Amino acid sequence: MKLPLLAPMAALAAGTALFTVAAPALADAHMEAAAPTLEEVLAHERRDGDRARDQYRHPAETLAFFGVEPGMTVAEFSPGGGWYTRVLAPLLMPAGKYIAFNTDSDAETYPSREREVRANAWTETFKNTVASGMGVEASAVTAFEIDEMPEDVAGTVDRVLIFRSMHGLNIGNNADTVLKAARVMLKDDGMVGVVQHRAPEGASYDDYGARQRGYMRKQDVIAIFEANGFELAGESEVNANPNDPANWPNGVWTLPPVLATGANDPKRSEYMAIGESDRMTLLFKKAD
C-alpha cells in the first residue's frame, strides 16, 4: 500500500487557535479543580466554539469507549486545530499527562516554503499555545515529532489516540512509522483508539485505498495495525452516520465542516442535513 507522499502536518499550522480563553481565567480554573470530570471539561467556556460539533464527534462517548480517564497518560497524534486538545489537556494535565506527537517534519514534502516553516516550528508553537491556554509553563506540555521522542516517554502511555488521520498516514506512507512509535510509547496494556472516516460496505481498494478520498475501508485499517503488531480489541458505532453514503466525488471534504464544493453548490443544504462523515471507532491492543 505504498502511495505518493503528502504533507500531513499542514493542519498543524492552526496552533494559535488551540485555546481561545484568556490564560488567567484558565489558570484559575486549573488551580481550583485539580481533577475535573469529563462533564465539567466538556461544559467549560473554552469549548463554546467547539460544542456544536459534539453531535458529530461524541467526545464523551468516544473517550469512554477508549477508556480515557483523568490521571492517565494519553498521546494524541496530529492534534491539528486542537478540538480534542481542548478536551484532553484540561482533563488529563492536573493529575496525568497529555502528549501531542506528529511525524518527522524533515521527512515531509511541502507545497510552499511558508508551510514548511510552520511545520518545522510546530513543536514549540504547540507547547506555548497549550501552556498559555492552560495557565502552566511550556515545560509542562509534552509535544514532539516521532524522530525526537524523549527516552522517558517509552512504556509510559496508557492510550494513543488517532482522530481522523489514518487516511493521511496511509496515503503518505507514514502509518507504519507512527504505529511503531505508538508501540514504543505504550505500556504493555496500553491501547490505540482510532476514529476514521469509513468507506461503504463492499467498497473496493482501488476506490478507497489507492486514492485520497478521506474514507478508508475498515479491513485496511485493521490490516495496517496487524502488520505493526496490534490486534483489534473492540469497535463502536458511536460515531456512525448512516446518512452518509461516503461516495462523494470530492471525498469526505464534501460534507461539513469543510464543504469543499463551495457556497454556491445547489446541494449544500443536502450536505448540511447529512452532517459530518460516517466514522468507524476502533480500539487496538498490542498483539500477544
Side-chain angles (χ1 to χ4, degrees):
M1 297 185 184
K2 293 199 172 182
L3 303 165
L5 185 66
L6 297 181
M9 291 191 67
L12 291 165
T16 55
L18 283 169
F19 287 87
T20 56
V21 179
L26 283 178
D28 292 343
H30 182 71
M31 296 298 292
E32 291 172 3
T37 65
L38 179 56
E39 291 75 15
E40 290 170 338
V41 170
L42 293 176
H44 196 281
E45 62 183 358
R46 75 173 65 87
R47 298 194 66 253
D48 287 351
D50 295 337
R51 201 165 290 109
R53 300 185 71 183
D54 287 0
Q55 62 180 312
Y56 305 119
R57 295 189 169 186
H58 309 99
E61 297 86 349
T62 299
L63 295 181
F65 174 70
F66 290 155
V68 173
E69 298 177 354
M72 281 186 167
T73 296
V74 176
E76 180 186 9
F77 172 73
S78 187
W83 195 93
Y84 256 108
T85 304
R86 287 184 287 274
V87 176
L88 291 168
L91 178 69
L92 298 166
M93 287 181 67
K97 189 173 186 179
Y98 169 78
I99 296 171
F101 73 106
N102 213 327
T103 53
D104 176 8
S105 60
D106 292 334
E108 305 294 349
T109 300
Y110 301 95
S112 68
R113 174 61 178 165
E114 180 184 7
R115 185 78 63 81
E116 182 179 3
V117 169
R118 288 202 304 265
N120 289 337
W122 168 73
T123 301
E124 293 307 313
T125 300
F126 184 89
K127 287 181 180 180
N128 290 329
T129 303
V130 174
S132 176
M134 288 292 297
V136 298
E137 297 296 323
S139 59
V141 182
T142 303
F144 54 82
E145 296 180 1
I146 53 177
D147 61 313
E148 299 176 345
M149 184 192 304
E151 292 183 4
D152 60 1
V153 169
T156 67
V157 174
D158 296 288
R159 297 291 184 273
V160 171
L161 304 181
I162 305 175
F163 295 109
R164 305 170 312 282
S165 293
M166 285 301 300
H167 58 286
L169 290 174
N170 181 49
I171 211 82
N173 287 329
N174 285 316
D176 291 347
T177 304
V178 167
L179 294 186
K180 284 180 172 61
R183 279 190 63 88
V184 171
M185 283 187 259
L186 285 169
K187 297 176 179 177
D188 289 342
D189 60 350
M191 295 186 175
V192 182
V194 176
V195 177
Q196 173 57 40
H197 315 291
R198 176 167 50 190
E201 191 73 27
S204 71
Y205 178 77
D206 287 344
D207 282 342
Y208 288 90
R211 63 193 183 101
Q212 183 64 290
R213 301 180 70 171
Y215 297 97
M216 287 186 69
R217 304 187 308 170
K218 183 173 77 171
Q219 62 262 44
D220 293 332
V221 175
I222 293 173
I224 291 170
F225 272 84
E226 289 179 343
N228 286 282
F230 292 93
E231 62 184 39
L232 185 66
E235 55 186 297
S236 170
E237 290 296 296
V238 66
N239 291 302
N241 182 355
N243 296 320
D244 175 20
N247 61 356
W248 311 104
N250 291 299
V252 70
W253 303 281
T254 302
L255 297 176
V258 177
L259 295 167
T261 59
N264 295 324
D265 190 326
K267 292 187 176 181
R268 186 181 178 90
S269 60
E270 175 187 339
Y271 306 148
M272 293 296 293
I274 289 171
E276 296 190 17
S277 66
D278 178 45
R279 294 161 184 166
M280 63 186 105
T281 304
L282 309 175
L283 188 62
F284 294 91
K285 65 179 182 178
K286 291 183 177 181
D288 297 331

